[in-house]
């Protein structure tokens, strides 16, 4: 299936390669570089590139291209999903996934990759099992390894692969038993220039951080489970219990994992917590344009909106902008034409605004497009869909765990057309 | 032995592989290090490590060797040590992990002499006790096969053996081996088919993808097409209607033949195994892995009956939230699907709206999908979106949008003029690319109706002075030439200008200049003769031989010469023949002959190793090949109890289930029932065992038993759905249930459309033992997903009046320039029929009304959307208005409205909630909670609100009506009062009573209306035949007889009052 993997950085250097079958020459990446050149932007490189003898499937994350080489028919999503899993695993191991970090941990990287695929077919991709096979690097361990000359390869025989619950290690022990759940909802919306909602939907996830001893069996129930329209589960969730009782019953994976992601339907029900008033105008004759935006709270259920960030890609004709924000800081990059305004918290009494002028290319006619405003924000302690966790119960273990649930609403792809 | 060397310092020493000088050192595999090339002593270390008794050191050493081999290094010098220590010793190691690693090392050594030993080791490992070792054996098979393909026959034996394995750990790996070594040996799957289906849910994600893809191919060879029947019905409704011959021909069995005398019975019977596959894969749509979701989606697309394919849309749309690479692949597949099954994605239209931050390649794919989804109803919205896209900064995307507008215009006749006008306005755009693209599209549109558009052609002619893009210039010239009679004055002038610039033009433009000259010469030779000759002479000496050829050829044709007059007499016919308008179609059309989700589909070209998706067979191959003789059926789907072996008590249940019907609807089932029932009892054991074993893991059991359930019992399930499963059922009862449901399933597909108990004739039940039909079977079924069984998922269509009134306004908006856009998201709810839900006295000041808005409830098409009006008549604000825990009758479900935080005194608010009434008029009872009070309220729907209108032609209506005769037809005679004899009043009264759409009707005094019930999508057809003097006859045809009867009553009442 997957023959080889090349890691390519943004300047086009292959800084790591790994082969699971025979060695494929790096020259195969030339086809990739060609496509990259044609695409101009990294995100527009086609994820699947056919070459005379191979197919290159790539994902782009953390400014690194992960290019898999395959020779025969295979579902493309299979490979793409695997590559993303590789990136997630690196992130899990090293905290971040970047070129310097991968280079620093090159030994572990190879060991992990070796275990993830056998002859090109995925073998151990659950991070719990991998961590048992190959210990993640820590400062202490690095020091010990240098002194004793040992490696990161686990000296105990891993049993995770044989475990009845493949996502959980056996014999987990904690002194503080705790289980935290974050309910995070994102609002995806397109608002048109008059302020009405063209489309809005809520996507949510429940991320769990579970540090419990032994083999606990958890049950999480909701006050209003019917809000969840479309759900996808971590493999640990018992599908049947969900179908019949709408509760989540599972033996959790150890550590942090995504328990559930869901979708709340019905666009006319979505409360839009912010509005943007904007006045962006170019005049045909003048080389100055007016720019003014104000952000204000709308349906916030009494909570404060924080972490507000406004970004907008200005038309090419805009040379520079001189703006004054009523709060926060703003920057405009004259090269990429990207305006960003870090607003911070919204005070309903004194709405933040950004006003000023744009200097346009003289002589050129006014740009015929208006910029789209992208909005980011956060609202703590609120799940905008109204989803509420009812209770969390634990079975199978004697101790009393510490439980915590946190709600948060964020902007997903939130765009205001002007 | 010394401690293993630290890998890090060693990796720089060796520059093997493809690394050239000066390349970064990181590009090497340090796990193997440079030990072998640099230091032979270390090599000895490794051997020594293998010789020790310590497990950990052996493991460490073997890991190194695997890593080294993976780099393609020659490891043959290690061969003796590995074979001695690994193949011979470790393969018998008591630790299963050592055995597995030993095999992994051994199989990674790419040395031909090792083949016999490897073969031996694989064979041994394949019968190992540990499933993990067996899994490793499966992984080793393709490795050996690539080393020596002569071993194929022996390897197939091993694969066959491993395929029979019953653990989830092995299943994925062995199917992968199967696909690589012998994908053509489909016969190996027969015996394992049912087991694979049942195990599927517990296999790890990667294995699931491989298995699903293989089973898709398998099903295509073994089952009949579930859609063939639909086409059959269209061709020959009469025969299909009564068609018992076909039943028999398909081996459907005598009981089906008897049953088929009933109306609306279809001759096609889905094989229960086919159904099993569909049912067991469906939950995987909920997987977190995009690859699995896609695999299930393609399976449904290729295998499921049309009515059931819809379930995949929601899952695919969810994937659009994922990484852009995933989006890219999913959108490609959605684009292909949306051509064949447009209705499936229509409710999700808005999910394909484009954001300015999407990468261009994603934008273009979304545009493709939007274009495919556009139809008469949603075109205003789609065009309004396109209008925003036109002003994007991304010019490639703008060009694609213009193309898309062109396609919409060709596909949907009534917006053609609007689109054309919009495109013409774009001609004055400042961006040349935009203009050029518009010209090309306009050319195609004009070709469809040139007569009216002389003005546009003139406008285009003027553009030749400015436009430089060759394709656009060529298009304009072609248009002028083709329609020169519409612009008789301008055409020669354009030719004059072109003649001047001829030498500087691009080749395609030159060719069109020659064309234009020729056409003008033929129609207007007086003015253009000289010009034409000039152009032809220029072309004669052109550098491009195509142009030279064309010039010679044209000259011979149009200029009459002495000898060759025959052709030139027909020149006019040749050049000015009416040409068919081009068909603008999607580049994704017909891509579905590749298996969806495959690499080949994505590239639209056959990739190496692509297995063709076979066509459905004409005749179904013998289904009995999937029966398993040996009734040993380890309970392996159970994660917890995987290691437990079968329990002896199965022999009992076997005996009991012996005489019952087998799962296969085979005519000679009597004679075969012995062997078949044993297989059935095998599968039922899997469920009964888990039943007894533990209730915690009843998930698995549910999946097992679910698979055997028949659709016929849908109704029962609905009612029993929420009943608690009694624990510790005796094996007797569960075996009863198993055999019952399997026999049920043989009939079930016959009635896939009708779930009504009443319709079931007693005759069809005679063969099932009376006791088995009863309670235990129904109780078992607790995780039923009703959606699985609903017949065609009908997308509710909003009433026609809403569409048509807003359409005109919408289309006027399409000026493609700045103009205020006011999308009509919510059309007003008519206040007629507002009913009280909670009186203000009972509600302590809170008054609540409700009305059926008759709008499709977004999110769930099966729900009736109900508008709720709150008003606060008290003096205090009411807080926290929400729906409390509803106690609903089975099947009925509610989508609550979002909590209303606070309602100030005197204020009112509106909310929308959805209720799935399950096609019954049972009231939905729920609590309305405020912060400190709870009110019990109930909403009972009039029968007319349980449906949504459908549009159909008179012929379709008659055809459908023909299928719904007999018991499904309810007739009532009535007398229309004087006040109710005009067309308008009748139509208004009927549509006010029931949410039906009017069907155009040729005869006067006859009114037809059509709709579908929301939950099951059954057709409801209403005919009112008004005779003179007020006598009238009302007829309702519907599968849902209860609904039909009630509807007749309601409509009669409305009309006569």
């Amino acid at each position: 299936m997957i023959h080889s993997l090349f890691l390519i950085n943004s300047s086009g250097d292959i800084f790591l390669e790994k082969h699971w079958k025979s060695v494929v020459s790096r020259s195969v990446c030339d086809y990739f570089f060609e496509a990259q050149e044609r695409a101009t932007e990294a995100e527009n490189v086609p994820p699947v590139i056919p070459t005379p003898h191979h197919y290159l499937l790539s994902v782009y994350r953390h400014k690194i291209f992960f290019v898999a080489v395959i020779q025969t028919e295979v579902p493309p999503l299979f490979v793409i999903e695997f590559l993303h899993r590789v990136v997630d695993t690196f992130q899990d191991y090293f905290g971040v996934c970047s070129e310097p970090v991968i280079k620093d941990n090159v030994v572990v990287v190879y060991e992990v990759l070796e275990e993830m695929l056998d002859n090109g077919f995925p073998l151990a991709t659950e991070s719990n099992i991998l961590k048992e096979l190959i210990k993640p690097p820590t400062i202490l361990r690095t020091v010990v390894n240098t002194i004793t000359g040992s490696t990161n390869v686990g000296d105990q025989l891993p049993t995770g692969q044989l475990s009845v619950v493949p996502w959980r290690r056996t014999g987990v022990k904690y002194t503080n038993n705790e289980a935290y759940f974050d309910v995070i909802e994102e609002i995806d919306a397109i608002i048109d220039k008059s302020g009405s909602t063209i489309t809005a939907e809520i996507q949510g996830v429940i991320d769990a951080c579970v540090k419990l001893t032994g083999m606990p069996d958890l049950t999480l129930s909701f006050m209003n489970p019917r809000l969840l329209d479309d759900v996808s589960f971590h493999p640990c969730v018992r599908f049947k219990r969900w179908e019949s009782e709408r509760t989540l019953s599972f033996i959790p994976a150890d550590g942090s994992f995504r328990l559930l992601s869901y979708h709340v339907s019905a666009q006319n029900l979505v409360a839009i917590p912010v509005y943007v008033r904007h006045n962006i105008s170019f005049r045909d004759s003048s080389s100055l344009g007016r720019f003014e935006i104000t952000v204000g709270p709308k349906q916030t259920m009494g909570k404060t909106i924080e972490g507000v960030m406004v970004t907008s890609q200005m038309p090419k004709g805009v040379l520079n902008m001189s703006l004054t924000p009523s709060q926060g800081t703003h920057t405009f990059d004259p090269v990429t034409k990207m305006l960003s305004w870090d607003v911070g918290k919204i005070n309903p009494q004194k709405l933040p605004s950004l006003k000023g002028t744009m200097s346009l290319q003289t002589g050129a006619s006014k740009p015929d497009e208006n910029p789209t405003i992208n909005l980011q924000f956060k609202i703590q302690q609120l799940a905008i869909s109204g989803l509420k966790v009812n209770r969390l119960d634990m079975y199978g273990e004697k101790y009393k765990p510490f439980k915590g649930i946190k709600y948060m609403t964020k902007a997903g792809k939130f765009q205001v057309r002007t | 032995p010394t401690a293993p060397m630290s890998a890090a310092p060693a990796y720089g020493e060796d520059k093997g592989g493809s690394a050239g000088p000066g390349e970064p050192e990181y590009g090497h595999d340090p796990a193997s290090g440079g030990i072998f090339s640099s230091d032979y002593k270390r090599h000895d270390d490794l051997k020594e490590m293998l010789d020790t008794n310590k497990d950990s050191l052996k493991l460490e050493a073997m890991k190194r060797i695997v890593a080294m081999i993976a780099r393609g290094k020659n490891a043959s010098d290690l061969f003796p040590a590995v074979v001695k220590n690994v193949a011979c010793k470790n393969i018998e190691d008591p630790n299963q992990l050592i055995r597995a690693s030993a095999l992994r090392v051994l199989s990674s050594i790419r040395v031909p002499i090792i083949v016999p030993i490897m073969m031996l080791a694989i064979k041994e490992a394949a019968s190992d006790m540990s499933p993990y070792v067996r899994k490793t054996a499966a992984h080793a098979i393709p490795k050996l096969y690539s080393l020596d393909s002569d071993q194929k026959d022996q390897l197939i034996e091993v694969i066959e053996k491993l395929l029979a394995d019953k653990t989830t750990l092995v299943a994925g790996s062995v199917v992968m081996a199967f696909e690589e070594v012998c994908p053509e040996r489909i016969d190996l799957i027969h015996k394992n088919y049912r087991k694979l289906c049942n195990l599927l849910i517990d296999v790890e994600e990667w294995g699931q993808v491989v298995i699903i893809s293989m089973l898709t191919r398998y099903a295509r060879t073994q089952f009949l097409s579930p859609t063939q029947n639909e086409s059959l019905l269209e061709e020959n409704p009469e025969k299909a209607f009564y068609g018992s011959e076909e039943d028999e021909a398909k081996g459907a069995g005598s009981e089906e033949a008897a049953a088929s005398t009933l109306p609306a019975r279809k001759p096609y019977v889905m094989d229960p195994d086919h159904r099993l596959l569909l049912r067991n894969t469906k939950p995987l749509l909920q997987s977190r892995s995009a690859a699995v979701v896609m695999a299930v989606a393609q399976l449904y697309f290729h295998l499921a009956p049309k009515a059931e394919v819809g379930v995949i849309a929601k899952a695919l749309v969810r994937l659009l939230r994922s990484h852009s690479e995933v989006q890219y692949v999913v959108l490609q597949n959605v684009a292909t699907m949306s051509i064949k099954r447009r209705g499936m994605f229509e409710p999700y239209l808005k999910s394909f709206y484009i954001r300015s931050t999407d990468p261009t390649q994603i934008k273009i794919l979304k545009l493709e999908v939007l274009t495919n989804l556009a139809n008469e109803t949603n075109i205003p919205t789609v065009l309004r979106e396109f209008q925003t896209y036109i002003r994007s900064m991304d010019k490639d995307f703008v060009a694609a949008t213009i193309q898309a507008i062109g396609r919409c215009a060709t596909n949907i006749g009534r917006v053609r003029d609007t689109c054309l006008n919009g495109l013409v306005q774009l001609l004055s755009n400042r961006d040349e690319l935009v203009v050029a693209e518009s010209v090309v599209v306009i050319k195609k549109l004009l070709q469809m109706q040139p007569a009216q558009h002389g003005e546009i052609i003139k406008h285009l002619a003027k553009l030749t002075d400015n436009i430089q893009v060759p394709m656009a210039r060529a298009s304009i010239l072609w248009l002028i030439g083709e329609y020169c009679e519409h612009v008789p004055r301008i055409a020669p002038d354009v030719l004059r200008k072109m003649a001047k610039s001829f030498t500087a033009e691009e080749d395609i433009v030159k060719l069109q200049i020659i064309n234009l000259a020729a056409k003008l010469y033929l129609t207007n030779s007086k003015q253009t003769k000289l010009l034409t000759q000039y152009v032809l002479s220029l072309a004669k000496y052109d550098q491009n031989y195509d142009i030279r050829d064309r010039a010679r050829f044209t000259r011979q044709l149009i200029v009459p010469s002495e000898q060759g007059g025959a052709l030139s007499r027909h020149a006019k016919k040749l050049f000015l023949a009416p040409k068919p308008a081009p068909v603008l179609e999607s580049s994704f059309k017909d891509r579905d002959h590749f298996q969806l989700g495959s690499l080949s589909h994505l590239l639209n070209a056959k990739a190496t190793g692509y297995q063709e998706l076979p066509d459905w067979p004409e005749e179904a191959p013998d289904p009995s090949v999937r029966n398993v003789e040996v009734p040993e059926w380890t309970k392996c789907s159970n994660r917890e109890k995987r290691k437990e072996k079968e329990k002896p008590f199965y022999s009992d249940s076997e005996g009991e289930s012996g005489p019952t019907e087998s799962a296969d609807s085979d005519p000679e089932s009597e004679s075969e029932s012995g062997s078949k029932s044993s297989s059935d009892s095998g599968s039922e054991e899997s469920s009964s065992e888990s039943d007894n074993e533990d209730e915690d893991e009843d998930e698995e059991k549910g999946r097992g038993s679910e698979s055997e359930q028949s659709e016929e019992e849908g109704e029962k399930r609905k009612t029993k759905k929420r009943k608690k499963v009694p624990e510790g059922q005796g094996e007797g009862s569960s075996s009863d249930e198993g055999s019952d449901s399997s026999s049920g399933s043989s009939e079930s597909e016959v009635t896939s459309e009708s779930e009504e108990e009443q319709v079931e004739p007693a005759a069809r039940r005679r063969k099932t033992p009376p006791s088995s039909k009863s309670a235990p079977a129904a109780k078992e079924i607790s995780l039923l997903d009703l959606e699985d069984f609903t017949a065609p998922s009908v997308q509710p269509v909003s009433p026609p009046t809403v569409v048509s009134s807003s359409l005109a306004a919408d289309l006027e908006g399409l000026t493609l320039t700045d103009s205020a856009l006011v999308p009509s998201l919510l059309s007003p709810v008519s206040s007629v029929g507002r009913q009280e839900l909670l009186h203000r006295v009972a509600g302590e000041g809170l008054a609540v009304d409700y009305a059926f808005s008759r709008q499709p409830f977004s999110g769930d098409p099966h729900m009736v959307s109900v508008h709720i009006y709150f008003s606060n008549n008290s003096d205090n604000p009411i807080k926290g208005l929400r729906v409390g825990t509803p106690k609903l009758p089975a099947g009925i479900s509610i989508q609550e409205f979002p909590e209303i935080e606070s309602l100030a005194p005197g204020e009112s608010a509106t909310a929308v909630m959805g209720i799935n009434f399950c096609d019954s008029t049972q009231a939905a009872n729920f609590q309305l909670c405020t912060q400190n009070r709870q009110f019990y309220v109930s909403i009972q729907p009039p029968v007319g609100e349980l449906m949504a209108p459908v549009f159909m032609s008179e012929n379709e209506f008659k055809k459908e009506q023909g299928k719904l005769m007999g018991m499904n037809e309810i007739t009532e005679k009535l007398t229309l009062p004087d006040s109710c004899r005009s067309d308008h009043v009748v139509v208004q009264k009927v549509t006010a009573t029931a949410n039906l759409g009017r069907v155009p009707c040729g005869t006067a005094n006859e009114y037809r209306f059509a709709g579908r019930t929301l939950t099951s999508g059954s057709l409801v057809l209403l005919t009112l035949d008004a005779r003179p003097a007020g006598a009238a006859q009302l007829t309702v045809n519907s599968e849902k007889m209860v609904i039909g009867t009630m509807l007749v009553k309601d409509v009669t009442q409305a009309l006569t009052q």
Side-chain angles (χ1 to χ4, degrees), chain A residues 280-353:
Chain A
I280 302 169
S281 58
F282 306 101
R283 266 159 297 170
D284 240 334
S285 48
S286 149
S287 64
L288 279 183
R290 254 193 327 165
F291 184 95
E292 181 180 349
I293 46 179
T294 311
V295 189
K298 215 170 162 187
Q299 291 153 292
T300 61
M301 323 282 169
K303 303 277 195 299
T304 7
I305 302 174
E306 305 168 4
V308 181
M309 177 90 176
V310 177
T311 50
S312 182
Q313 170 79 53
M314 303 306 288
K316 295 213 169 55
V318 177
L319 289 180
N320 212 339
M321 306 180 80
S322 71
L323 303 168
T324 359
S326 71
Q327 73 177 73
T329 52
H330 80 285
T331 51
F332 176 71
D333 184 342
V335 181
T336 58
K337 314 287 181 202
M338 186 61 86
L339 169 74
S340 62
W341 174 30
D342 190 347
V343 185
K345 226 178 251 182
I346 294 184
N347 178 2
Q349 267 72 52
K350 192 174 160 288
L351 296 181
S353 65

Side-chain angles (χ1 to χ4, degrees), chain B residues 10-24:
Chain B
Y11 70 78
E13 294 168 27
D14 177 24
K15 288 205 186 229
S18 57
E23 291 194 21

Side-chain angles (χ1 to χ4, degrees), chain B residues 54 229 693 844:
Chain B
K54 279 193 182 165
N229 195 50
E693 271 174 3
E844 296 177 350

Side-chain angles (χ1 to χ4, degrees), chain B residues 227-241 246 959 963:
Chain B
T227 51
Q228 63 171 13
N229 195 50
E230 282 151 38
S231 54
L232 202 101
L233 269 179
E234 277 152 28
E235 283 160 26
N236 195 352
E238 279 311 294
K239 195 172 179 195
F241 191 74
E246 309 216 6
K959 205 164 89 189
K963 291 183 210 158

Side-chain angles (χ1 to χ4, degrees), chain B residues 711-724 755-758 773-775 777-786 789 888-892 917-918 920 922:
Chain B
E711 297 181 25
E712 188 190 348
E713 290 169 351
E715 200 69 13
K716 245 194 225 171
R717 269 180 229 131
K718 284 178 203 164
T719 53
K720 306 273 178 174
K721 194 179 164 197
R722 270 167 229 292
K723 286 211 175 167
K724 180 100 182 75
E755 292 173 12
E756 295 274 66
E757 285 275 329
Q758 304 98 297
K773 232 357 182 220
S774 55
K779 272 183 203 156
E780 218 354 285
I781 310 152
S782 46
L783 78 166
L784 238 289
D785 191 345
L786 288 169
F789 302 96
L888 298 166
I892 294 189
F917 284 106
C918 227
S920 78
Q922 287 184 80

